[in-house]
Amino acid sequence: MEDSLPLHVCHVQTLSIFINRSHALLHSTALAFLVYYRTSFLFQDHDPNTKATPLFLPWLLVFASELLLSFTWLLDQAFRWRPVTRTVFPERLPEDDKLPAIDVFICTTDPDKEPTVGVMNTVLSAMALDYPPEKLHVYLSDDGGSPITLHGMKEAWSFARWWLPFCRKYRLKTRSPEAYYSAISKDDDEGSGSSEFMIERQKIKERYEMFKESIREVRGRLLDPVHGSGITARDHPSLIEVIQDNSNDRVQVDQVKTPLLIYVSREKRPSHSHHFKAGALNVLQRVSCMISNSPYILVLDCDMYCNDPTSARRAMCFHLDSKFLHSLAFVQFPQRFHNISKNDIYDSQLRYVFSVLWQGADGLQGPILSGTGFYIKRVSLCGGSSIQDIDLEELKHSFGSSNELIKSLHGSYKPYVINDQYGLLEETHLLASCTYENDTKWGKEVGFLYNSVVEDYFTGFTLHCKGWISVYCDPLRPQFLGSGTTNLNDFLIQGMRWSSGLVEVSFSKFCPLIYGPTRMSIFESLCYAQLAFHPISYFLSLWCFATIPQLCLLNDIPLYPKVSETYFVIFLFIFSSAISKHLQEVLSTGGSFQTWRNEQRIWMMKSITSHLYGSLDAIMKRIGTREANFLPTNKVEDAEQVKLYKMGKFDFQTSNMFLVPMVSLIILNLVSFIGGLVRVIFVGNWDQMLVQVFISFYVLVMNFPIIEAMIVRKDKGRVRPSVTILSAMFSTIFLLLGCIILCC
């Protein structure tokens, strides 16, 4: 590696900075005028005998909602302050023998929701990374303790002896077998077209089909919980096994170099909290210290396979840079998904997060940790960069009673050489026990943190507070591809879980606006605050905007300036400014008008459902009336749901807790729009009520799929008639109560 040649280059997006800051100046000026307009009205003296008297309460509620949205918008500008992109030069890395070792952590929980074949494809793609195999170690955490998963690991190791040489020989880019054989690209292999390649490709495909069939057969035999042994997903001992060859087929075995493959199932008991994914990752961290103790760790979700084998070398372009050597905690890659349709109606691709927000955070102290697809420095998870001067007892208080684990924290430590085909030393079982973390700092100050179900967000926040930085690497070819949600139910449940975790952080002592500014850059604190506060801010604001103006429209109470007044231009500008900025960002990141519309719609749906229930869940956990829970996203695809998704039709086969609020608000806005339109036409007060009529109209237009599912559609994805009737009852009651309150 030439010292004069950089391993990466950072490009500041000057045009985006100019657009963002110019827009922020104009928009904030307009917001200042809005605040002046609202406050001047609230402090006016009103004649109790005039029509203006009942205006105070709805005006106050609408003003509070406007302030909440303005506050969230202000926090959001931190992401847009200095967006950057990065280019890496993997060819400038040192020789393979000088590259550091990497441990790969993959987590799975339930083979029913996370199909074993899919999980093994992720394992195989990680084993096939373009990295020295002797410096690559792949760990799978099986929180369900399923024998199906363990069998899948053994079959995957056997198949890898054939798959890895094939990938290396023809330099395949797609190294997940399922992805490779389902949609192979012409540029995926160097020997495509040659007879030798086609013969070998077909031979490997046949072995892959045998591999899948073996897993299916064993799954059929092992459907009962461990053959009646009493072991369940929530109650089982630890099992740690280094996967080695157990077949009679020894052809090519001696010539193939494969990464170390380790199966880890930690001990779980109903009487002990297991801390979900963060707990599983911490067990992997401790166990791997005894086996490989690599200085860097790649974390992957079980469905997030390696779509490009070069990600490890790309990450090392940052980790091995002399400027970042002692300050860089992790390199984050974006989450991309292989099953997203062109018309992504659920915004499952998370374009806004990975194409806008994370690029902006990269220009500050770095992007937020995103749960999967990141290479993290092991020492950053150990609370600091050096433990040489720390007392042994203090180390045991932090890391637990294992002397071997504490020894592994020193740079000179040599991990065990595994030569026992049946498992590891007893020490690793101690480290994987459910009681090991008792009275230690694991999950509090060491490892992945437990303070919230969004362990990635909270761990990243703590690392940034300690002075670490992160970088964002977003190559043209996605480095990792996962399974996006393709039905409304899973999407809203996932959003509710994220909202709960984020709001939980905002209510804790680690609130980014209080805990962050003295420990990290102010802009980075604002970025974390925006993520933490946006669920509760959006649900309060949108519930208000979806109900209060509509009730006031039906009761002839104006909430906005007349069209003929000067301040009407301010409200028009704020709305147009927000909409046009969103559209500009969508188009500049490769989206379309349809993408913009879908994101607007799903933002409304999430705000009144996922953000509402997630915020309430966080509040209940905060006051001690509810325990934290985690439901893994279902990775099993339903053919009918996928068909509806690809057709661009919403699947409303979801819980009433999600459907009833959405349908009720649509009915309320429909009544309000029709009533308001009649009033405007026959009474002639369009000058006063035009804005409120437009709000109802905009809500209906953006959420037309709900109306269509209520009235037109007859397929299984429609809104059930019983839901429409129930929602109509709630809307009627709400309208009556609202009218009574406003008329009193």
Side-chain angles (χ1 to χ4, degrees), residues 208-234:
Y208 178 59
E209 293 300 326
M210 292 169 57
F211 159 72
K212 292 196 294 183
E213 185 60 31
S214 172
I215 292 177
R216 294 192 190 102
E217 288 179 359
V218 171
R219 178 179 176 80
R221 296 199 305 264
L222 299 178
L223 285 178
D224 294 330
V226 198
H227 305 296
S229 63
I231 296 176
T232 66
R234 297 191 61 189

Side-chain angles (χ1 to χ4, degrees), residues 19 31 65 73 113 118 123 156 202 219 241 302 319 378 392 412 438 451 494 503 516-517 603 617 665 685 692 737 739:
I19 294 173
L31 289 177
S65 299
W73 173 85
K113 291 188 175 182
V123 169
Q202 182 61 31
R219 178 179 176 80
E241 184 171 336
C302 65
H319 278 300
R378 185 185 291 268
L392 178 61
S412 59
N438 293 350
N451 297 59
Q494 185 183 65
V503 173
W603 170 64
D617 184 66
L665 291 179
N685 60 346
Q692 285 160 256
L737 290 176
C739 291

Side-chain angles (χ1 to χ4, degrees), residues 402-418:
S402 172
N403 291 324
E404 293 298 327
L405 177 63
I406 292 174
K407 289 178 185 177
S408 73
L409 302 176
H410 296 81
S412 59
Y413 176 78
K414 300 295 183 183
Y416 290 116
V417 176
I418 305 303

Side-chain angles (χ1 to χ4, degrees), residues 249-532:
D249 187 358
R250 300 293 299 177
V251 179
Q252 296 185 350
V253 165
D254 295 333
Q255 291 76 32
V256 178
K257 291 183 178 180
T258 59
L260 200 63
L261 185 61
I262 303 98
Y263 172 88
V264 178
S265 179
R266 57 176 171 151
E267 180 187 16
K268 291 177 72 174
R269 303 299 179 194
S271 57
H272 290 79
S273 178
H274 54 85
H275 302 295
F276 315 114
K277 181 180 176 181
L281 287 173
N282 284 342
V283 169
L284 288 181
Q285 187 182 345
R286 294 194 296 269
V287 169
S288 65
C289 283
M290 301 292 99
I291 302 170
S292 51
N293 201 32
S294 300
Y296 298 99
I297 297 169
L298 166 62
V299 176
L300 294 174
D301 282 346
C302 65
D303 66 319
M304 188 69 64
Y305 67 83
C306 302
N307 185 58
D308 190 301
T310 64
S311 66
R313 294 181 183 271
R314 291 177 185 274
M316 289 306 114
C317 288
F318 298 104
H319 278 300
L320 300 184
D321 187 290
S322 57
K323 295 179 182 178
F324 291 163
L325 204 55
H326 301 293
S327 60
L328 179 62
F330 61 90
V331 177
Q332 179 68 60
F333 288 88
Q335 295 181 29
R336 306 295 185 197
F337 306 97
H338 62 82
N339 60 337
I340 300 300
S341 66
K342 186 176 180 180
N343 180 19
D344 181 22
I345 55 175
Y346 300 124
D347 187 31
S348 297
Q349 62 183 326
L350 302 173
R351 180 210 61 85
Y352 176 63
V353 173
F354 294 111
S355 296
V356 177
L357 299 190
W358 270 214
Q359 283 190 1
D362 196 21
L364 304 173
Q365 203 173 332
I368 285 76
L369 200 65
S370 305
T372 182
F374 61 88
Y375 287 83
I376 192 166
K377 187 178 294 181
R378 185 185 291 268
V379 71
S380 69
L381 295 171
C382 296
S385 58
S386 175
I387 63 163
Q388 305 298 327
D389 301 324
I390 303 179
D391 180 71
L392 178 61
E393 289 304 315
E394 187 176 343
L395 286 174
K396 286 190 174 184
H397 177 65
S398 297
F399 297 97
S401 59
S402 172
N403 291 324
E404 293 298 327
L405 177 63
I406 292 174
K407 289 178 185 177
S408 73
L409 302 176
H410 296 81
S412 59
Y413 176 78
K414 300 295 183 183
Y416 290 116
V417 176
I418 305 303
N419 50 25
D420 178 5
Q421 63 175 339
Y422 297 107
L424 307 176
L425 298 176
E426 191 64 29
E427 193 76 17
T428 59
H429 291 277
L430 168 66
L431 296 172
S433 67
C434 61
T435 58
Y436 183 80
E437 295 181 357
N438 293 350
D439 301 320
T440 69
K441 293 183 180 179
W442 282 101
K444 305 179 184 72
E445 298 178 25
V446 175
F448 294 87
L449 306 185
Y450 300 155
N451 297 59
S452 170
V453 293
V454 284
E455 78 292 326
D456 46 359
Y457 169 94
F458 193 74
T459 301
F461 175 69
T462 305
L463 289 173
H464 282 131
C465 283
K466 292 178 178 178
W468 292 95
I469 65 170
S470 58
V471 297
Y472 187 55
C473 186
D474 186 11
L476 288 177
R477 180 181 173 90
Q479 300 296 288
F480 306 100
L481 285 177
S483 300
T485 51
T486 55
N487 66 83
L488 187 63
N489 187 65
D490 287 349
F491 179 81
L492 294 178
I493 289 175
Q494 185 183 65
M496 183 174 68
R497 186 176 72 231
W498 290 346
S499 297
S500 175
L502 292 169
V503 173
E504 200 175 354
V505 173
S506 68
F507 288 158
S508 71
K509 69 175 183 178
F510 298 101
C511 172
L513 289 179
I514 300 173
Y515 191 83
T518 59
R519 296 172 173 85
M520 66 171 74
S521 71
I522 183 64
F523 281 104
E524 190 77 9
S525 297
L526 295 179
C527 290
Y528 275 101
Q530 192 274 346
L531 295 172

